[in-house]
Structures are given as C-alpha cells and as structure tokens.
C-alpha cells in the first residue's frame, strides 16, 4: 500500500514549529498512512523523526527580496512531491497551492493561524507606506 503524500508548507514558520510539526504532522503521521513533508523556514535543530521529511529551504528577514522567491522554491518541491493534500499556513503560498491543485489535483487546507491583515497593519515589520497595500493584498488572497 502506497502512502498518500501530504505537504505542510509555510514561509514564516520553522520546520519544527510546534503547531505544524508537533500538532499537525505528528498527529497525522501517527496513523502511518501518510508520507508527511514539512517545508518551511530553516532551524538549527531539525528533529530526528523518521516518519516526517523536513525541507528547511530558506532563512531570511520578514521584509526581504528572498521572501519573494520563497514560493518558487516551494513550488519546485511540491512539483517533485506531487502531494495529494497541501496544508498551507501562510497566505503568500496560496497561489502556488492553487496552481498545484490545477495541475495535479491536490486538495488544499488553509490553516489560518493568525490575523495576517491586522498583523501587517499594526506591527512595525513593514514600512508604514506599504502596510495597507500589503495587508489588503493578503486579505484579498
């Protein structure tokens, strides 16, 4: 019996994030029916878990050019994995997830972990002049 492939993808969370790894991936992995893959931010201590594959593909600041290329890196991995289910935790990865659904029929679960719209508007992460357009784009997605 071949295992169904699942990808948990995030730009903002490390691959060993408590929610993505410990709560979602390990819970699903306990059934032993799925090939679990976590794609995300690099971390120093990648867990040694034989039931889960980790793809620490980037390490950048929240506001950087590298962040714009992150969806392309994730798309390449998704293209290789061809997951049947994609669990998306950041809005900027919805586009590559939908593209994957169109091409390969993957199901998508959007796990909204934060109010990204308000986080962008009311934190100092982005320059003041860019906050509203970025927040609006995220809300539109």
């Amino acid at each position: 019996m071949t295992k169904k492939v699942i990808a948990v993808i995030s730009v903002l969370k490390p691959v060993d994030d408590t929610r993505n790894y410990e709560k979602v991936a390990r819970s699903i992995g306990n059934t032993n029916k799925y090939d679990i893959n976590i794609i995300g931010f690099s971390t120093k201590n990648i867990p040694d878990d034989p039931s889960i594959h980790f793809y620490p593909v980037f390490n950048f600041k929240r506001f950087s050019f590298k962040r714009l290329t992150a969806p392309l890196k994730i798309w390449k991995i998704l293209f290789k994995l061809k997951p049947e289910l994609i669990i998306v935790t950041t809005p900027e990865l919805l586009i590559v997830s939908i593209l994957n659904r169109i091409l390969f029929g993957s199901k998508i679960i959007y796990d909204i972990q934060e109010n990204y719209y308000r986080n962008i508007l009311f934190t100092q992460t982005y320059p003041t002049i860019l906050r509203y357009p970025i927040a609006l784009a995220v809300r539109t997605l």
Side-chain angles (χ1 to χ4, degrees):
M1 178 176 128
T2 59
K3 294 181 176 184
K4 293 183 179 186
V5 178
I6 295 176
V8 181
I9 61 176
S10 178
V11 171
L12 299 174
K13 306 291 182 187
V15 292
D16 64 346
D17 174 65
T18 298
R19 181 178 175 109
N20 292 344
Y21 169 58
E22 294 177 13
K23 294 181 181 177
V24 175
R26 287 185 69 198
S27 295
I28 296 170
N30 285 338
T31 65
N32 205 23
K33 296 179 184 178
Y34 304 98
D35 178 16
I36 311 291
N37 302 276
I38 301 177
I39 307 167
F41 210 81
S42 290
T43 185
K44 291 179 183 176
N45 300 316
I46 296 175
D48 185 22
D49 191 330
S51 65
I52 298 171
H53 306 281
F54 297 93
Y55 295 88
V57 292
F58 37 78
N59 190 0
F60 49 76
K61 295 179 180 177
R62 285 187 182 260
F63 191 66
S64 72
F65 180 75
K66 286 184 178 181
R67 184 168 177 183
L68 293 175
T69 63
L72 293 174
K73 289 181 181 183
I74 290 177
W75 165 248
K76 287 179 185 178
I77 296 169
L78 290 176
F79 189 79
K80 280 193 331 188
L81 294 174
K82 293 182 179 47
E84 294 179 48
L85 175 65
I86 301 171
I87 301 172
V88 186
T89 63
T90 47
E92 62 216 87
L93 296 177
L94 287 171
I95 294 170
V96 296
S97 300
I98 292 168
L99 183 59
N100 199 300
R101 178 175 173 74
I102 291 168
L103 294 176
F104 303 113
S106 303
K107 291 182 173 33
I108 301 169
I109 295 175
Y110 181 32
D111 183 12
I112 301 172
Q113 298 180 357
E114 304 172 26
N115 186 335
Y116 294 106
Y117 177 80
R118 290 190 178 277
N119 286 355
I120 292 166
L121 279 181
F122 301 119
T123 61
Q124 304 298 315
T125 304
Y126 298 101
T128 306
I129 195 162
L130 295 177
R131 286 184 200 155
Y132 186 73
I134 292 171
L136 191 60
V138 166
R139 180 167 273 180
T140 302
L141 274 174

